[in-house]
Amino acid sequence: MSLNTVDKPFRKTGDPVTLTSESPLHPRRKSRRIMVGPVPVGGGAPISVQSMTNTLTANVPATLQQIAELTAAGCDIVRVAVPSQDDADALPEIVRKSPIPVIADIHFQSKYVFQAIDAGCAAVRVNPGNIRKFDQVGPDICKAATDAGISLRIGVNAGSLDKDLYAKYGGPTPEALVASALKEAHMFEDVGFHDFKISVKHHDVITMVQTYRLLASKGDWPLHLGVTEAGPAWQGTIKSCLAFGALLAEGIGDTIRVSLSAPPVEEVKVGCKLLEYMGLRPRKFDIISCPSCGRAQVDVIQLATAVTEGLKDITAPIRVAVMGCIVNGPGEAREADLGVASGNGKGQIFIKGKVIKTVPEDQIVETLLDIANDIAANMEANGEVPAGATGPVVIPIQHPNRAA
Ligand code: SF4
């Protein structure tokens, strides 16, 4: 794909995002649609955010508590690891009580795949390369998934690349990872199973982008984007934003998981914000704050942090500006709904670039929060808060073999 093919009008900063399934930067790649429970993936569906619990799956209360936190943060789909019989046994209750679709993540033991399907999981992540006797059980897995109306995720990570492909390509190169993914895809398609998405994860941003680009050119499978082992929150966020940003800007990607060595809820926050800033999810609260400089007459860092913390749960698409001086104050931030320009121990509070009042410095945060909450309440009352801003985008469906 080339940026030369863009044929859309440019979007003005601040324009509301309504068609969240469309990218303002580039037409989305045409992929086929699968369902993960009620959440559509691919085929132009809004890009979903996934995460994975890090509790012991067999500890049902702890796992459900974490799923509730992930859901509140905007997670659409959750994955749980199933490395033992106790974990597999916990799946029915987790699936029954989870507010979002549950994917079982299974390596090595095909019997857990069948248990996960029986438990009502919305999808199963399998790695055919390390499922024992996959040649024999693969068709049965496909049949069980088809009968239950669920989808699968397949694919490869740089660390789990097949030895032969590793040797042939000299390492986990984009060609090697895509060859592995194609081999797996054909194993499923050869038995008539098409309801799967693919991931081809690598920890290196450039290799990851090249790999997904290559895979995207080979077929219409929905793609699950991930930078594997991306690192702690700071590095992992940068890597994920670079890699996902590059691919999403080209229209590639149908569902994302930000992998961080951090609490899973942080992964969801990064994923949701990333999509918001790419114009692929309705925007919530956003802050514009200056970096401050020698002209600053207030502690901008402290002020911006306090305002962000005070408004972090607002779902209305409100933009608040915090400027350190009046030189570049209301004018520079006139695209904000509300803001402050500080100076001389006071703060000029402005709405849409017009100063409405001046308050002492110690009342700036309180005043901004009060007005922001009023604006947000008005927006909600007037129906100006997009539905997708308050939770996952779901399409209710009825699986053929399962009650609603
Ligand atoms: S708004 Fe004022 S304090 Fe902030 S960076 Fe610009 S000139 Fe400096």
Side-chain angles (χ1 to χ4, degrees):
M1 289 189 195
S2 150
L3 288 180
N4 295 332
T5 61
V6 172
D7 58 357
K8 299 177 175 198
F10 291 119
R11 191 169 66 91
K12 284 208 310 273
T13 312
D15 276 359
V17 176
T18 46
L19 290 172
T20 52
S21 60
E22 266 300 317
S23 166
L25 292 173
H26 198 283
R28 296 267 306 274
R29 163 182 167 265
K30 292 197 184 340
S31 58
R32 64 181 179 232
R33 177 172 293 187
I34 63 167
M35 298 300 293
V36 177
V39 178
V41 174
I47 295 169
S48 45
V49 172
Q50 308 198 14
S51 185
M52 191 166 180
T53 52
N54 63 4
T55 52
L56 269 183
T57 303
N59 184 341
V60 175
T63 302
L64 285 170
Q65 173 61 34
Q66 198 169 65
I67 292 175
E69 289 164 13
L70 296 173
T71 307
C75 188
D76 300 311
I77 298 167
V78 67
R79 189 153 45 104
V80 299
V82 186
S84 75
Q85 186 60 53
D86 285 347
D87 300 314
D89 292 343
L91 290 174
E93 186 178 355
I94 292 172
V95 168
R96 203 167 56 248
K97 294 182 176 169
S98 171
I100 53 176
V102 176
I103 300 180
D105 187 283
I106 295 167
H107 293 260
F108 307 117
Q109 295 272 16
S110 60
K111 67 176 179 178
Y112 298 155
V113 176
F114 295 107
Q115 248 191 286
I117 294 172
D118 286 345
C121 286
V124 181
R125 186 265 172 118
V126 289
N127 186 340
N130 65 23
I131 292 275
R132 290 179 202 123
K133 299 190 184 145
F134 191 81
D135 290 353
Q136 292 164 30
V137 298
D140 290 338
I141 289 175
C142 293
K143 179 168 187 325
T146 302
D147 290 347
I150 73 159
S151 57
L152 301 178
R153 178 185 136 208
I154 61 170
V156 64
N157 288 1
S160 62
L161 182 66
D162 175 89
K163 280 199 288 289
D164 293 343
L165 288 170
Y166 192 102
K168 180 176 174 188
Y169 290 96
T173 62
E175 293 84 355
L177 292 166
V178 169
S180 172
L182 293 181
K183 191 171 141 197
E184 289 182 11
H186 292 145
M187 286 165 79
F188 287 93
E189 289 173 340
D190 285 351
V191 293
F193 188 81
H194 299 272
D195 285 342
F196 60 86
K197 57 190 160 76
I198 306 182
S199 62
V200 277
K201 298 183 175 184
H202 200 288
H203 56 81
D204 177 73
V205 169
I206 293 169
T207 309
M208 182 275 197
V209 170
Q210 290 173 329
T211 306
Y212 274 98
R213 276 182 180 159
L214 184 60
L215 181 62
S217 71
K218 302 284 185 190
D220 69 347
W221 311 282
L223 300 183
H224 166 118
L225 302 187
V227 178
T228 192
E229 294 131 23
W234 184 60
Q235 292 93 330
T237 297
I238 295 171
K239 286 184 195 172
S240 300
C241 291
L242 285 169
F244 295 4
L247 290 165
L248 293 170
E250 296 175 14
I252 296 172
D254 299 290
T255 182
I256 63 170
R257 191 251 170 133
V258 174
S259 300
L260 301 177
S261 304
V265 78
E266 299 303 318
E267 299 184 348
V268 174
K269 286 188 200 164
V270 172
C272 290
K273 268 293 169 209
L274 192 156
L275 292 180
E276 283 181 35
Y277 289 141
M278 292 296 290
L280 287 160
R281 181 169 276 224
R283 181 171 62 75
K284 297 186 190 174
F285 159 68
D286 190 23
I287 186 151
I288 300 171
S289 56
C290 81
S292 84
C293 69
R295 290 188 201 89
Q297 296 180 12
V298 70
D299 186 338
V300 177
I301 299 171
Q302 202 178 56
L303 201 54
T305 305
V307 172
T308 304
E309 182 57 28
L311 297 176
K312 68 181 187 326
D313 295 326
I314 275 193
T315 54
I318 184 172
R319 231 179 212 132
V320 181
V322 174
M323 309 301 275
C325 74
I326 53 169
V327 173
N328 292 327
E332 183 111 330
R334 69 168 60 88
E335 284 177 346
D337 298 293
L338 166 70
V340 64
S342 307
N344 222 4
K346 298 182 193 128
Q348 287 184 337
I349 307 290
F350 55 88
I351 290 182
K352 299 278 186 198
K354 291 219 165 56
V355 177
I356 57 158
K357 66 163 118 170
T358 300
V359 298
E361 190 175 316
D362 61 1
Q363 290 175 24
I364 291 175
V365 173
E366 186 190 337
T367 308
L368 283 177
L369 298 189
D370 281 351
I371 300 176
N373 279 309
D374 283 349
I375 296 175
N378 273 338
M379 284 175 134
E380 279 189 33
N382 296 335
E384 294 170 35
V385 180
T390 55
V393 181
V394 298
I395 296 177
I397 57 159
Q398 176 110 31
H399 286 309
N401 299 324
R402 194 176 306 142

